[in-house]
Amino acid sequence: MTTADRPENPLDAEDPGSVEAEPRGRAVREAGPEQQAVEQALVEQVVASFDACADPRLKELMVALVTHVHAFIRETRLTEEEWGAAIEFLTRAGHITDDVRQEFILLSDTLGASMQTINVNNRTYADATEATVFGPFFVEDSPGIAVGGDMAFGAGGEPCWVEGTVTASDGTPLAGARIEVWEADENGRYDVQYDPGRRAARAHLFSEPDGSYRFWGLTPTPYPIPDDGPVGTMLEAVGRSPLRASHLHFMVSHDSARTLVTHIFPEGDPIGWKDTVFGVKQSLIKPFVQQPAGTPTPDGRPIEGTWSRVRFDIVLAPAGT
């Protein structure tokens, strides 16, 4: 798409309070001039209501929100019944949300809004590891483990040996980087979905002086996002699956670097690019190599059945980038 072909954005004007005089939607154009004038006058009236806002950024956000919401209503010729259904949908999302279940995060994720916000706020930098969605199941008080420890804490699933390094974008090893890891068990559920106070299949550890890290986790498996609420109803109505691609969560922080929130995804995953929250990126797909039963483990741990191993070398962008 060339610059000439790209649709104009009403927020590209020098005046952040300006609004587009001629809406572009086909349905809007088909409305008579008098009707268009009535609708446009309301847009301008609502935009002007923010003129006294003392916070320039808040004003910019509110003007953009109003401009785009009104454009959507006008372009689609939204009915009062449809708007009422949307309000009811959001009301049900609020009612089902609690300290563990965050339906609005699920809505943001499944509309791609979470992933787009990640893209906007994590600009590419050299060969720094790409970020992806945070998800609704992170908790602050994960247990600590030593390098080489087991973050499963009894959660069911095939053991997986995870290892790698944490470095700066210039290759300098980053010692003492905090690595938070969490994932679902073999049944596709996180610990807090069983019991808000339970801690399993999640932990934190710190990278070694040479930047290396390693731990035992679980081989990731696909699972559905909670689909017994309004977001699940929406996905079913539009013919979309609630399944997430198999993944292992990471959040990596260091004083010298931009905090990274990301996942890794197994090669050949049956869900893969159909991930319902659009979190998969090619650079984050890794070979989880299956090990036959009886294969010696890197640390001598006895394992009766099969296990897997994966390497994930993490590169952090500098702080402030």
Side-chain angles (χ1 to χ4, degrees), residues 31-156:
E34 292 184 1
Q35 178 63 27
Q36 287 193 44
V38 168
E39 295 170 5
Q40 184 64 23
L42 177 59
V43 176
E44 294 171 1
Q45 181 182 4
V46 179
V47 167
S49 73
F50 302 114
D51 285 350
C53 181
D55 183 334
R57 176 59 172 167
L58 177 59
K59 178 180 178 180
E60 179 186 11
L61 293 173
M62 295 305 298
V63 168
L65 176 64
V66 164
T67 301
H68 288 287
V69 168
H70 280 253
F72 167 76
I73 293 170
R74 299 174 70 191
E75 178 183 342
T76 63
R77 311 314 289 172
L78 194 70
T79 69
E80 293 181 40
E81 291 77 15
E82 289 166 338
W83 186 242
I87 297 297
E88 171 60 22
F89 176 91
L90 294 174
T91 300
R92 289 192 291 120
H95 287 166
I96 202 171
T97 296
D98 57 27
D99 291 342
V100 174
R101 171 72 172 266
Q102 231 301 355
E103 196 75 3
F104 288 103
I105 292 179
L106 292 178
L107 179 60
S108 174
D109 289 353
T110 55
L111 294 180
S114 298
M115 193 64 247
Q116 195 67 284
T117 303
I118 293 295
N119 287 337
V120 168
N121 287 277
N122 292 267
R123 297 182 180 183
T124 57
Y125 185 93
D127 61 347
T129 301
E130 291 189 283
T132 190
V133 292
F134 196 46
F137 294 114
F138 173 77
V139 298
E140 295 283 353
D141 59 343
S142 67
I145 58 172
V147 171
D150 188 354
M151 56 90 84
F153 290 105

Side-chain angles (χ1 to χ4, degrees), residues 283-303:
S283 67
L284 302 176
I285 299 174
K286 304 295 179 182
F288 282 70
V289 182
Q290 290 292 312
Q291 307 295 312
T295 303
T297 59
D299 62 348
R301 173 186 176 181
I303 294 178

Side-chain angles (χ1 to χ4, degrees), residues 146-232:
V147 171
D150 188 354
M151 56 90 84
F153 290 105
E158 181 184 68
C160 178
W161 177 255
V162 185
E163 62 185 341
T165 58
V166 182
T167 63
S169 57
D170 63 0
T172 302
L174 295 180
R178 183 182 175 107
I179 305 167
E180 292 271 0
V181 286
W182 67 103
E183 63 181 318
D185 64 14
E186 61 186 353
N187 296 318
R189 300 187 71 187
Y190 289 83
D191 49 5
V192 293
Q193 292 179 283
Y194 294 102
D195 177 347
R198 183 181 177 190
R199 298 293 177 264
R202 73 171 71 239
H204 69 270
L205 65 156
F206 294 91
S207 59
E208 298 273 68
D210 62 355
S212 66
Y213 74 91
R214 53 200 174 276
F215 63 89
W216 283 101
L218 303 173
T219 305
T221 56
Y223 66 86
I225 64 169
D227 60 351
D228 58 341
V231 171

